[in-house]
């Protein structure tokens, strides 16, 4: 813990006194083991935590669970924010300094400035800094922040994928041997939170994880765990959902474009979305910055979309919808308890370059790399999500070669899981499981490698619809790829892809306005809701036109609700609960969504998006409203 953090902890204990140490979520005194409490007892209802009638778990931890969203729906509740801070001992002469780190985004900057102005009157001084996405990820993984903004787009359409963001053990990035994939909450035993809340959150996540399958009992258990987890999140104020977004895509008439579904453009292949291109053989676009093109190390939307074009995984979401279909496989079998899978690969699938035909040995090596390589940043998916069987040493490290993925023939391979899991096929559609040529990188025991990791991550070889050509990283750089003429799914309609790497909203918009991008997003700062005319609807997706633009052209537009949540989160080893609650009280989601994001989304009251919430959108609304 840094000197700054230790000073804050001592200061917090001094101003809250002994009462803070005995406050518990159950409303009764308890031994905190000498660790500081979060400073909010919730006993007088000031924090909105009204108790549920008859809701008392075996350990009493449900007694003061909120019955509805406790911080007010689109209400700037300054008085409650001030009350919770002053009850904890903060005031004009004892203010809290909060370091806020956000996306390099005018929209988030506007939100930050609004919140800063509101918090100033409740004894919180907010220091704002911003970073591009890659730098933000790096800094938050090191815990170099107090509050920060992030978002999560579903890897698979299940509640568990969002719940893992707040599973306490999965939020601690500085633990030895840890490979988490959650939010950077640092929800450790040393965090400013009640131990019972932390334990109950872990139990709720375990209940989600331990009830796979489609039987009524399993679905009921998962629904119960989801509702409990969301209330625990309200109580802890560890993470504050802000909004669920829509994905707007714009394109000129020269492109025959099929807009992706709710899983987003990063889960859709360009070869599927783009069916034709007039007047050019190069599809021009725009990309955000990214750090790697290796499937085992791709960690953001921008890199994920590139990996989708260069590589293929065993299965695939159909154009970014929630429908999964075979891609590299042609068939599979599984046992009754969903722990053993055997896959049959297509024959004749070719890798780029001189690497020949895809075989089962390539898939075994690819999944071994994902699990065993020190370069893998995506081990959470095969280990914690799929929970592939393996041996581990005394320190919990995977024994090389022990991962239960086996070639059972030239074109067949098996995967064995430790526990039942109902979303195995969806997870195997994730780009991290993409096939690479056996032994191409020497970062797995038993392989010398044709190239080192740095070479491969910047000059990748896959078997996807596009062959990598060039990547000049950083803002102002460029990414290029060319169609793979031997692609097993048929040669793509666009012969080349050329993306400019940009982060500044004006530059992104001007590239599209000048027709240097065929398909593009329009940054929120440049978006005018009055120019959109969405006249057709297919399910949740709307399509129509947008314009005229500054170049007098009217372009095509699609709007698709995405399975995502954007949020404000806290390093809970740094930020006491009263400060987190104060932020929640002054956050007005509807206003932000309408005025800042210009209606491109809806306010979030849960981490779990409406599309996958128990009971869907209606269940989502009923739960946060306490109905």
């Amino acid at each position: 813990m840094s000197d700054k953090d230790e000073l804050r902890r001592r200061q917090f204990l001094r101003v809250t006194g002994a009462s803070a140490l005995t406050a518990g979520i159950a409303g009764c005194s308890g031994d905190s083991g000498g660790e500081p409490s979060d400073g909010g007892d919730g006993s007088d209802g000031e924090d909105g935590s009204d108790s549920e009638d008859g809701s008392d778990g075996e350990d009493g931890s449900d007694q003061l669970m909120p019955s509805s969203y406790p911080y007010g729906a689109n209400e700037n509740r300054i008085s409650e924010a001030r009350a919770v801070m002053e009850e904890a001992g903060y005031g004009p002469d004892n203010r809290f300094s909060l370091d806020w780190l956000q996306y390099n985004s005018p929209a988030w900057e506007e939100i930050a400035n609004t919140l800063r102005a509101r918090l100033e009157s409740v004894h919180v001084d907010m220091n704002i800094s911003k970073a591009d996405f890659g730098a933000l990820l790096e800094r938050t993984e090191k815990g170099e922040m107090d509050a920060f903004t992030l978002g999560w787009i579903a890897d698979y359409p299940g509640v568990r994928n969002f719940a893992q963001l707040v599973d306490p053990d999965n939020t601690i990035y500085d633990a030895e041997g840890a490979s988490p994939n959650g939010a950077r909450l640092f929800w450790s035993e040393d965090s400013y939170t009640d131990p019972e809340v932390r334990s109950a959150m872990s139990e709720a996540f375990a209940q989600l994880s331990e009830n796979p399958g489609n039987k009524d009992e399993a679905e009921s258990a998962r629904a119960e765990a989801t509702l409990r987890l969301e209330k625990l999140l309200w109580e802890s104020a560890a993470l504050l959902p802000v909004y669920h977004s829509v994905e707007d895509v714009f394109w000129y008439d020269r492109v025959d474009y099929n807009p992706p579904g709710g899983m987003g453009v990063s889960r859709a292949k360009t070869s599927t979305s783009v069916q034709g291109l007039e007047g050019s053989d190069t599809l021009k676009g725009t990309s955000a910055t990214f750090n790697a093109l290796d499937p085992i190390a791709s960690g953001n939307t921008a890199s994920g979309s590139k990996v989708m074009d260069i590589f293929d995984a065993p299965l695939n979401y159909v154009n970014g919808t929630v429908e999964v279909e075979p891609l590299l496989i042609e068939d599979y079998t599984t046992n009754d308890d969903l722990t053993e899978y055997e896959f049959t690969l297509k024959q004749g699938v070719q890798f780029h370059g001189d690497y020949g035909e895809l075989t089962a040995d390539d898939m075994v090596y690819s999944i071994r790399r994902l699990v065993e390589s020190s370069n893998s940043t995506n081990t959470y998916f095969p280990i914690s999500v799929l929970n592939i069987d393996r041996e581990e040493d005394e320190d919990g490290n995977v024994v090389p070669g022990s991962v239960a993925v086996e070639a059972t023939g030239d074109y067949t391979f098996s995967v064995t899981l430790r526990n039942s899991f109902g979303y195995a096929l969806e997870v195997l559609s994730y780009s991290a499981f993409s096939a690479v040529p056996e032994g191409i990188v020497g970062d797995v025991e038993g392989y010398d490698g044709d190239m080192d990791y740095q070479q491969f991550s910047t000059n990748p070889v896959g078997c996807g619809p596009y062959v990598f050509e060039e990547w000049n990283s950083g803002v102002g750089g460029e990414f290029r790829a060319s169609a793979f003429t031997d692609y097993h799914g048929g040669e793509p309609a666009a012969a080349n892809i050329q993306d400019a790497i940009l982060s500044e909203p004006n530059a992104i918009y001007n590239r599209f306005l000048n027709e240097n991008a065929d398909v593009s997003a329009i940054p929120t700062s440049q978006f005018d809701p009055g120019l959109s005319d969405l006249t057709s609807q297919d399910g949740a997706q709307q399509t129509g036109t947008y314009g005229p633009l500054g170049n007098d052209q009217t372009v095509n537009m699609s709007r698709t609700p995405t399975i995502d949540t954007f949020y404000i989160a806290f390093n809970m080893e740094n930020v006491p609960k009263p400060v987190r609650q104060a932020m929640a009280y002054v956050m007005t989601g509807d206003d932000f969504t309408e005025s800042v994001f210009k209606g491109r989304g809806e306010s979030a009251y849960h981490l779990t998006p409406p599309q996958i919430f128990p009971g869907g959108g209606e269940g989502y609304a009923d739960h946060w409203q306490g109905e």
Side-chain angles (χ1 to χ4, degrees), residues 184 191 277 345 390 452 454 463 473 530 582 625:
R184 285 86 162 144
S191 62
L277 182 63
L345 291 168
R390 71 270 181 199
D452 62 26
Q454 186 60 33
C463 59
S473 63
Q625 294 171 10

Side-chain angles (χ1 to χ4, degrees), residues 432-445:
F433 291 88
S434 294
V436 301
E438 182 185 13
I440 192 168
V441 187
D443 55 357
V444 173
E445 187 171 300

Side-chain angles (χ1 to χ4, degrees), residues 75 86 97 282 488 576 619 623:
E75 301 171 60
E86 291 179 353
S97 179
T282 300
H488 63 95
H623 187 253

Side-chain angles (χ1 to χ4, degrees), residues 149-386:
T149 66
L150 271 175
W152 188 262
I153 300 172
D155 293 310
Y156 59 91
V159 172
R160 190 179 185 276
N161 187 233
F162 285 82
Q164 55 94 17
L165 293 176
V166 292
D167 174 34
D169 289 341
N170 193 39
T171 72
I172 304 167
Y173 280 71
D174 57 357
E176 185 175 351
S179 55
N181 194 48
R184 285 86 162 144
L185 303 179
F186 291 87
W187 201 335
S188 67
E189 294 180 356
D190 293 329
S191 62
Y192 289 115
T193 189
D194 192 292
E196 289 187 40
V197 173
R198 186 180 189 278
S199 176
M201 183 66 83
S202 296
E203 290 170 4
F205 183 72
Q207 185 173 331
L208 271 172
S209 305
E210 293 166 4
N211 288 278
N214 298 319
K215 293 183 178 180
D216 290 345
E217 312 91 88
E219 291 181 353
S220 177
R222 292 198 300 271
E224 177 186 301
T226 301
L227 301 183
R228 180 171 170 76
L229 183 147
E230 293 288 355
K231 289 185 176 183
L232 288 164
L233 199 56
W234 290 341
E235 198 285 333
S236 66
L239 179 150
L240 308 179
V242 178
Y243 76 108
H244 308 294
S245 75
V246 295
E247 191 163 72
D248 290 348
V249 182
F250 306 83
W251 65 97
Y252 288 97
D253 284 340
R254 58 181 176 267
V255 187
D256 182 359
Y257 188 69
N258 181 17
M263 294 295 288
V265 294
S266 67
R267 303 305 300 271
K269 293 181 179 292
T270 300
S271 57
T272 303
S273 300
V274 176
Q275 300 294 306
L277 182 63
E278 295 179 1
S280 176
D281 62 359
T282 300
L283 181 76
K284 294 174 290 185
T286 305
S287 173
T289 58
F290 52 93
N291 298 325
L293 291 170
D294 187 337
I296 70 170
S298 62
N300 60 35
T301 301
S303 61
S305 65
K306 304 298 183 291
V307 169
M308 287 291 291
D309 284 335
I310 298 169
F311 298 90
D312 277 357
L315 299 103
N316 183 52
Y317 286 98
V318 182
N319 197 31
T321 66
V322 297
E323 180 185 352
V324 170
E325 66 177 359
L327 184 58
L328 293 179
I329 66 168
E330 60 181 15
D331 197 10
Y332 76 95
T333 59
T334 185
N335 61 351
D336 291 339
D337 68 358
L338 306 179
T339 58
E340 298 178 4
Y341 293 81
E342 183 164 46
F343 299 95
T344 301
L345 291 168
K346 289 181 182 180
Q347 296 187 31
V349 174
Q350 298 295 314
F351 282 110
H352 306 158
D354 299 323
Y355 283 92
E357 184 185 17
L358 170 72
T359 68
D361 289 335
D362 297 307
M363 282 307 316
V364 171
Y365 167 80
S366 300
I367 296 176
R368 277 194 62 194
R369 276 195 78 226
L370 180 59
V371 175
E372 298 176 21
S373 171
S374 61
N375 296 308
S376 178
T377 61
N378 287 320
T379 56
Y380 183 79
F381 294 97
I383 297 300
S384 298
V385 179
L386 279 183

